[in-house]
Amino acid sequence: MLTPYLPYPLLSGGQIRTYNLLKHLSKKHDITLFSFIRDVKEKQYIGELKEYCSEVEVFLKRPPWSFTSLSLAALSFYPLVVCMYLNREIEKAMSKAIEKKHFDLIHAETFYVMPNIPKNHIPIILAEQTIEYLVYKHYTAAVSLFPKKILMNWDVAKIHFWEKRFWHRATRIIAMSDADKKVMQKLDSDLTVDLVPNGVDTEFFSDKRVKRKTSQKTVLFVGNFKWLQNREAVSILVKDVWPKIKEKLPNTKLWIVGKFPTKEILGFASKSIRVSQDIDDIRQTYTQGDVLLAPIYGPGGTRFKILESMATGLPVVTTSTGIEGLGARSGNEVLTGEHASDLAKETIRVLTDAKLYKNLAQRGRRLVEKRFSWRHIAQTLDHIYEEAVHDQQN
């Protein structure tokens, strides 16, 4: 398995997904893990992963704005997101491991690590956690500085080209949501895409929430702020949605929780807004919140905050984009709105209607238990592995 991050500690949706898949797949498979790290300090976590992997090898990822990354992006046809991960050392290590171990298959997380896989005849499973070009296209649309917009649009075009190119190089393609699957097949009608959704540990995230003896309500936002979608969402929340909620429910507080907040996000802290980046146990966050509010408009992403909230019995208010691929219905398991005024209205409604609150909490939990257990999801992936190997042999 080749990943663009070390799947531990569990700080991001991608890490949570890969870690849980490794945990369950290791019961049947001998896994060698190749991962990129951002800092040598991450090597301390290798031991956690050796419980599920026979070998773990790590390699430093270049920063996006390093001279080498920018030069490669400027002088080659590869986009910046690929250039950050181009690494001859990992390619050599994989070649050596392939000769030594005679792997049955290679599992790659994200297309942009694919150039590091040496030429071979082993089936390749490519898991796309999101459609990258759509994420960057959405972000670029908001850029006003014309020269910067031109450069970013060129990079988006390169992402689009290589993303589709590596879809065809892979033996099987995996999407996280039905919405992404449909978009991928619309972009390429000849593409066969398997669906392996994200999951949640329903035992770890219990729905036995403690009833708090306070009249002060807390609106919660959870997200890893390395991701553009989360930075955009929290900005919309604070600037457009929160003032409308505060006007109707002046005693309500907003709690923003997430790793790697920007200076702007840290600056949102005020008398009514709390910003936290170092939470030891994320379950405490869901327990202390009264509703999760996620104004997500950017495509892609893992949506773990939605699943985890529902697993803990915390009602969710989000956009239709926020629940893409989850099978959650507005008014049943969640509440949705497309504009700031709609999101504020639905948040106020769930905070002031006890019956609605209880129904959303119970139905959300049932949906997670039925569709998103990691054991079931790992079995689906294992079936795809077996088909890919069988097809290659025949």
Side-chain angles (χ1 to χ4, degrees), residues 20-60:
N20 280 283
L21 288 175
L22 287 171
K23 180 179 177 180
H24 288 275
L25 291 168
S26 65
K27 296 172 184 177
K28 184 177 179 181
H29 301 281
D30 178 0
I31 305 169
T32 298
L33 179 67
F34 293 88
S35 291
F36 284 92
I37 56 175
R38 275 69 176 161
D39 192 298
V40 292
K41 292 179 181 178
E42 291 181 58
K43 290 183 178 181
Q44 66 182 298
Y45 303 117
I46 289 175
E48 295 283 347
L49 295 162
K50 282 191 173 179
E51 185 176 348
Y52 309 117
C53 304
S54 58
E55 289 185 47
V56 179
E57 294 196 48
V58 296
F59 302 83
L60 275 172

Side-chain angles (χ1 to χ4, degrees), residues 149-167:
K149 197 180 188 77
I150 291 292
L151 288 172
M152 290 180 71
N153 277 328
W154 170 236
D155 204 59
V156 168
K158 292 198 288 184
I159 292 172
H160 189 34
F161 173 85
W162 284 106
E163 200 160 25
K164 290 178 66 177
R165 183 78 168 257
F166 283 113
W167 290 348

Side-chain angles (χ1 to χ4, degrees), residues 334-391:
V334 298
L335 295 179
T336 62
E338 298 311 308
H339 305 289
S341 56
D342 299 326
L343 291 167
K345 179 182 176 182
E346 295 301 331
T347 303
I348 292 165
R349 191 157 75 95
V350 75
L351 289 175
T352 55
D353 187 333
K355 184 178 179 181
L356 173 65
Y357 191 102
K358 183 179 179 181
N359 287 339
L360 289 171
Q362 291 177 343
R363 291 167 183 165
R365 173 69 187 189
R366 282 200 297 267
L367 176 69
V368 168
E369 289 177 332
K370 183 179 179 180
R371 296 190 56 181
F372 298 103
S373 75
W374 282 118
R375 181 181 59 81
H376 174 73
I377 291 165
Q379 287 174 349
T380 301
L381 181 56
D382 177 63
H383 182 65
I384 294 168
Y385 284 173
E386 292 196 2
E387 288 184 342
V389 173
H390 180 267
D391 290 347

Side-chain angles (χ1 to χ4, degrees), residues 235-250:
S235 180
I236 292 169
L237 169 55
V238 172
K239 296 175 183 178
D240 302 328
V241 186
W242 179 240
K244 294 177 172 59
I245 296 172
K246 195 68 176 168
E247 182 183 355
K248 297 293 183 181
L249 300 175

